[in-house]
Amino acid sequence: MIPELKKILYATDLSENARYAFGYAVSLANRYDARITVLHVVEELSSFARSMVEEILGEKRWTDRIKEKEAAVIADLKTRLDEFCKQVRHEQPDCPFVIDKTVVVTGHPVDQISRHAIKMDADVIVMGSRGKGGLADVTLGSTSRRLLK
């Protein structure tokens, strides 16, 4: 029996490879009439780096700056995804898909992707691979590999 896919978690780092992976998420969503949740994780600074920045800027300015940056990342992500969705719809007008929601969080990518997949009861996770590390990263990607472990 082929499992039904109704909830797709598309994790993106906004790289070119993640763009290609979005095409797979759209294809799956179209084929199974599934909904896509888009997740982007902004990695946190180490505690040492954070304390240094807070020391220089002050805690309130640092907190305000983080809020501004998160809002900018969300806006940029939505704009880039809207543009890509328009391109996909133009290239394949008979391929409808629904983006259920767009989520941007701060934290460690592997932890956040896993947490959101469990929280939304995702049937499948779709993500790209940058391939910037050793040979294993070229074929799978370090975040993908760690998520599978």
Side-chain angles (χ1 to χ4, degrees):
M1 182 167 96
I2 298 174
E4 288 212 22
L5 302 177
K6 293 297 175 191
K7 297 176 187 174
I8 298 170
L9 177 59
Y10 166 65
T12 179
D13 61 2
L14 303 176
S15 67
E16 193 61 31
N17 284 331
R19 230 176 110 85
Y20 292 122
F22 186 63
Y24 288 103
V26 167
S27 176
L28 286 169
N30 182 49
R31 183 175 190 163
Y32 294 100
D33 193 30
R35 301 177 84 71
I36 301 171
T37 296
V38 179
L39 174 66
H40 178 73
V41 181
V42 179
E43 289 191 66
E44 291 180 331
L45 289 176
S46 69
S47 57
F48 176 72
R50 182 182 173 108
S51 67
M52 288 181 58
V53 172
E54 281 181 354
E55 184 71 30
I56 294 168
L57 294 179
E59 189 173 341
K60 180 165 177 14
R61 273 184 70 198
W62 172 245
T63 304
D64 292 344
R65 184 71 179 129
I66 289 292
K67 287 179 186 174
E68 290 171 19
K69 188 65 176 169
E70 285 178 354
V73 167
I74 291 169
D76 180 54
L77 175 64
K78 287 183 178 180
T79 300
R80 290 170 76 175
L81 287 172
D82 286 343
E83 184 179 306
F84 182 71
C85 293
K86 286 178 189 174
Q87 288 174 355
V88 171
R89 283 192 175 108
H90 177 66
E91 293 166 6
Q92 300 175 5
D94 60 335
C95 181
F97 58 92
V98 177
I99 294 180
D100 202 24
K101 61 182 160 181
T102 302
V103 180
V104 178
V105 294
T106 304
H108 188 271
V110 174
D111 295 340
Q112 291 298 332
I113 293 167
S114 177
R115 182 174 291 129
H116 277 80
I118 292 167
K119 180 180 175 182
M120 68 178 275
D121 193 26
D123 297 308
V124 67
I125 301 170
V126 178
M127 56 194 289
S129 167
R130 281 195 192 173
K132 287 190 171 184
L135 185 57
D137 291 348
V138 171
T139 57
L140 188 57
S142 60
T143 301
S144 302
R145 192 170 21 87
R146 282 184 262 151
L147 188 59
L148 284 171
K149 285 182 180 180

